[in-house]
Amino acid sequence: MGISEMFIHPSLAFVIAAIILPFLPRAGWGQSLARALLLIPPAIAIYAAFTNPLGHHASFDWLGQTLTLGRVDEMSRIFVQVFAVMSLAGLVFSLHVEDRYQHVAAMFYVAGGLGCVLAGDFLTLFLFWEIMAIGSTFLVMLNRTRESVLAGFRYFLYHVLGGLLLLAGLVMRYKATGTLDFVWEDWLGRAGTPVYSWLILAGFCVNAAVVPLHAWLPDAYPRGTVTGSVFMCAFTTKTAVYVLMRGFQNWEILAVAGTVMAVYGVLYASMENNARRILSYHIVSQVGYMVAGIGLGTAMTVNGAAAHAYAHILYKGLLFMSVGAVLYAAGTAKLDELGGLAGRLPWVMVLYMVAALSISGLPVFNGFISKTMTIAGAAESHHYWIALGLEVAAVGTFISVGLKLPYFAFWGGRPLDLKRELKPIPANMYAGMAILAALCVAQGLYPEMLYKYLPVVMSEANHNLYDPWAAWNVLQACLLLGFAGLAFYVMRQVITPHKALNLDFDWFYRLLGRGVLALICRPIAWFDNIWTRVYQTIGLRFVNLFARLTVFFDRRLIDGVVDGTAYSVRGAGRLGALAQSGQLQQYLGLMVTLLVIILALVCYS
């Protein structure tokens, strides 16, 4: 095994901590050690993310194949960095949680995501892919409600489907090419592309929540635990973005799919009532920017996809933390039940607005330096419809996340919410939010903090030089957001939250599920009816006959032998009892009688 002395695999610390954590005492020093143990793996991961040397590490041969656990290059390094930072903020945010199984699930989930990003071959990728799926499933189910368990089960089924597609694709690819190396597929989605490439792409698209394979996301994320959803919003879809970037750049079908995602997610988010469901649909929308950038495949758009993935993890984590804090304090995240919380939860409101303005792309925040890069790259490559679709999605994002959600949660809404009893928010939750908020602002003000780690070096030769703070870029962003604000003011009475649940494509999935159940249950019910009739006419009579035979055998044979023996023993006992009179002459007479009988038998025999 060739392992660089300087290489540290960040997943290892999370796995070790997850194994140790359940066995520590739940009081006293054990509780303190458990909390400290939560912060050690992300610290190691951050150190490794910035110090691991470029190259292939932890490689070994298995069945004639070289498996690589640590491929560190410009593309994987930026994702490892943001995953490590997000794991630290997420675990700080969840320090108050007493349920250690949530921490164990989160650590395995993070380990799976980091392992996927560093995997140099498809087999290693698949193993960490499944670890990530299992860990995230438990983050949903551990909310321990009926809805969360059902949503977790549906979530798991989706990801089993994605895993099976990936497995089928990599097996077919291995048979065709003889290698498991995870490299870019230079097929460009043309006719004649091997089936295995489409299968692998489909498996990746399930995790990326590409429409119409996205319904698991708005179904599961709002039903997860408060802290679990914070982790889930960062890793699953962004891991899928990474593998798409690694293997499917310049597939134009992804550019179209990403644009559809961006617009579709915004439309459904604007109709939702549950704050976490609104944010879930916006994951679909924002990942659409990344998928579109990967599909266009230019140096500018690939960098834009990577930059937006980094920025999105930070501000989306902060959004879920802020809404999670409202849910933790108020007991609900439904906008029609909230209102007037700005004065009662002022810091939550401020931190939420940092994230909301970041996702909206307002100058000064990190979404401005990443989202506009992808749009500019689409325009420069003459894909104007894609650029226009992404701009429309940007407007809708500001309306729903930057205006609608905070308006009804923190300022408008029901006056009765002023009397709602609020649960105190732990200091560690504020600390986790503050970490991400500071990074959102710092990256917005100093884009070079992010740009220097992008996978394609910014240069004139690469035709990807981009200055987000150019006057036109700033003016364009402000004009778009100003127009969006005006649109919200005009339509604020129209987009009032309603209790109805929008099933979206999930309606078709449920219809398909009911159809499959009908196809299975109806034949089984038909066969069961026939079997019941056969049993009633033939089987039941045979059982009755068999019962009569057993009764006869029991009464005539078993009882006859047993009872006859018992009666004989009882008769002998009675005769013996009569013989025991206690008179000596009777005993002598009996002895003489027996002696005579014996002599008679001897003489006549």
Side-chain angles (χ1 to χ4, degrees):
M1 180 184 293
I3 304 179
S4 170
E5 292 181 357
M6 298 178 62
F7 176 73
I8 302 172
H9 201 298
S11 295
L12 184 61
F14 286 97
V15 172
I16 293 174
I19 294 173
I20 294 174
L21 192 61
F23 299 100
L24 294 178
R26 298 185 177 275
W29 65 269
Q31 186 67 14
S32 300
L33 181 59
R35 289 179 177 173
L37 188 61
L38 293 178
L39 302 181
I40 294 175
I44 294 175
I46 292 174
Y47 175 79
F50 287 93
T51 60
N52 276 339
L54 299 179
H56 287 64
H57 311 281
S59 299
F60 59 93
D61 294 330
W62 183 75
L63 296 180
Q65 294 292 317
T66 298
L67 305 184
T68 302
L69 297 176
R71 175 171 55 183
V72 182
D73 57 15
E74 289 79 4
M75 190 177 295
S76 63
R77 182 171 56 183
I78 187 172
F79 282 87
V80 172
Q81 287 180 11
V82 69
F83 280 7
V85 171
M86 183 61 209
S87 68
L88 175 63
L91 287 169
V92 169
F93 184 78
S94 62
L95 280 175
H96 66 284
V97 176
E98 300 293 337
D99 184 1
R100 291 186 182 176
Y101 294 110
Q102 292 188 37
H103 297 310
V104 171
M107 287 190 169
F108 274 114
Y109 179 47
V110 174
L114 289 167
C116 287
V117 170
L118 290 171
D121 59 272
F122 274 108
L123 182 58
T124 303
L125 172 67
F126 177 75
L127 293 176
F128 282 105
W129 194 266
E130 295 307 303
I131 291 173
M132 187 172 60
I134 294 170
S136 54
T137 297
F138 280 103
L139 287 177
V140 178
M141 290 185 169
L142 284 172
N143 203 19
R144 292 183 171 87
T145 65
R146 182 178 183 276
E147 291 77 12
S148 66
V149 172
L150 293 175
F153 181 70
R154 291 191 293 270
Y155 175 92
F156 186 68
L157 289 179
Y158 277 110
H159 289 278
V160 166
L161 171 63
L164 289 175
L165 291 171
L166 174 59
L167 180 60
L170 70 89
V171 170
M172 293 176 64
R173 183 180 183 276
Y174 173 74
K175 183 177 180 181
T177 64
T179 180
L180 291 172
D181 291 343
F182 180 24
V183 294
W184 176 48
E185 294 287 346
D186 190 15
W187 296 99
L188 305 182
R190 298 187 297 262
T193 301
V195 174
Y196 63 74
S197 293
W198 292 111
L199 289 173
I200 293 172
L201 177 63
F204 290 165
C205 285
V206 171
N207 270 29
V210 173
V211 177
L213 304 174
H214 68 288
W216 56 268
L217 197 157
D219 178 50
Y221 283 21
R223 294 183 171 95
T225 65
V226 169
T227 55
S229 294
V230 169
F231 287 100
M232 293 174 68
C233 76
F235 289 88
T236 299
T237 50
K238 263 57 74 184
T239 301
V241 166
Y242 166 78
V243 294
L244 288 173
M245 186 180 297
R246 173 70 70 181
F248 294 93
Q249 287 185 34
N250 206 21
W251 283 48
E252 287 200 10
I253 189 173
L254 291 178
V256 176
T259 306
V260 171
M261 291 172 66
V263 177
Y264 187 91
V266 162
L267 290 176
Y268 266 89
S270 64
M271 296 185 289
E272 285 297 333
N273 178 40
N274 187 304
R276 293 206 294 177
R277 194 167 168 87
I278 291 174
L279 299 182
S280 298
Y281 271 113
H282 272 289
I283 294 177
V284 176
S285 178
Q286 296 299 301
V287 171
Y289 286 85
M290 307 167 208
V291 173
I294 294 168
L296 293 174
T298 68
M300 176 81 80
T301 60
V302 169
N303 271 357
H308 200 49
Y310 200 119
H312 178 268
I313 288 173
L314 299 181
Y315 64 64
K316 184 61 70 173
L318 180 55
L319 284 169
F320 267 91
M321 286 180 179
S322 305
V323 171
V326 171
L327 175 60
Y328 179 88
T332 182
K334 295 180 180 179
L335 298 185
D336 66 316
E337 299 175 1
L338 294 172
L341 294 178
R344 306 185 66 189
L345 298 174
W347 284 110
V348 174
M349 182 269 294
V350 170
L351 293 167
Y352 172 85
M353 289 309 302
V354 170
L357 296 176
S358 295
I359 192 175
S360 301
L362 185 72
V364 177
F365 302 96
N366 63 352
F368 169 68
I369 69 166
S370 61
K371 181 184 296 186
T372 51
M373 186 186 298
T374 302
I375 298 173
E380 289 183 6
S381 61
H382 307 293
H383 291 83
Y384 301 114
W385 284 107
I386 291 176
L388 179 61
L390 298 180
E391 289 283 20
V392 170
V395 172
T397 298
F398 183 52
I399 290 175
S400 56
V401 178
L403 296 173
K404 173 186 172 180
L405 196 157
Y407 174 78
F408 289 104
F410 295 110
W411 295 295
R414 302 172 60 182
L416 293 177
D417 214 47
L418 296 173
K419 300 180 180 179
R420 182 190 297 271
E421 183 178 352
L422 299 180
K423 186 178 179 180
I425 298 175
N428 63 283
M429 294 179 73
Y430 284 112
M433 290 187 280
I435 292 172
L436 297 184
L439 290 173
C440 287
V441 175
Q443 284 186 349
L445 293 174
Y446 304 100
E448 187 59 25
M449 290 177 59
L450 176 58
Y451 286 177
K452 66 181 179 180
Y453 293 110
L454 294 178
V456 183
V457 177
M458 284 188 170
S459 65
E460 292 184 4
N462 291 330
H463 304 287
N464 64 342
L465 288 175
Y466 181 71
D467 179 15
W469 284 99
W472 167 244
N473 291 332
V474 175
L475 179 61
Q476 182 185 32
C478 292
L479 287 174
L480 281 173
L481 297 181
F483 170 76
L486 178 62
F488 173 78
Y489 178 78
V490 174
M491 299 175 59
R492 66 187 186 280
Q493 301 299 329
V494 178
I495 59 175
T496 302
H498 301 285
K499 291 183 179 295
L501 176 66
N502 299 306
L503 288 180
D504 146 48
F505 268 91
D506 206 23
W507 185 87
F508 295 100
Y509 294 144
R510 297 185 185 198
L511 180 63
L512 178 63
R514 287 192 293 267
V516 171
L517 288 176
L519 290 175
I520 295 174
C521 293
R522 287 178 181 174
I524 293 176
W526 176 80
F527 178 78
D528 182 66
N529 289 333
I530 293 178
W531 171 251
T532 300
R533 293 175 183 176
V534 171
Y535 175 77
Q536 289 175 345
T537 56
I538 299 175
L540 190 59
R541 294 180 180 179
F542 176 78
V543 170
N544 290 334
L545 177 61
F546 182 76
R548 292 191 186 99
L549 291 174
T550 55
V551 169
F552 175 81
F553 179 80
D554 179 65
R555 290 181 178 177
R556 300 300 182 182
L557 298 179
I558 302 298
D559 291 350
V561 174
V562 174
D563 293 349
T565 303
Y567 294 150
S568 300
V569 171
R570 186 178 63 180
R574 288 177 178 175
L575 291 175
L578 293 174
Q580 302 297 321
S581 62
Q583 297 180 3
L584 182 59
Q585 60 271 25
Q586 289 184 358
Y587 294 155
L588 291 175
L590 181 60
M591 290 176 60
V592 171
T593 303
L594 291 174
L595 182 60
V596 171
I597 293 172
I598 292 172
L599 290 175
L601 291 173
V602 172
C603 293
Y604 289 101
S605 61

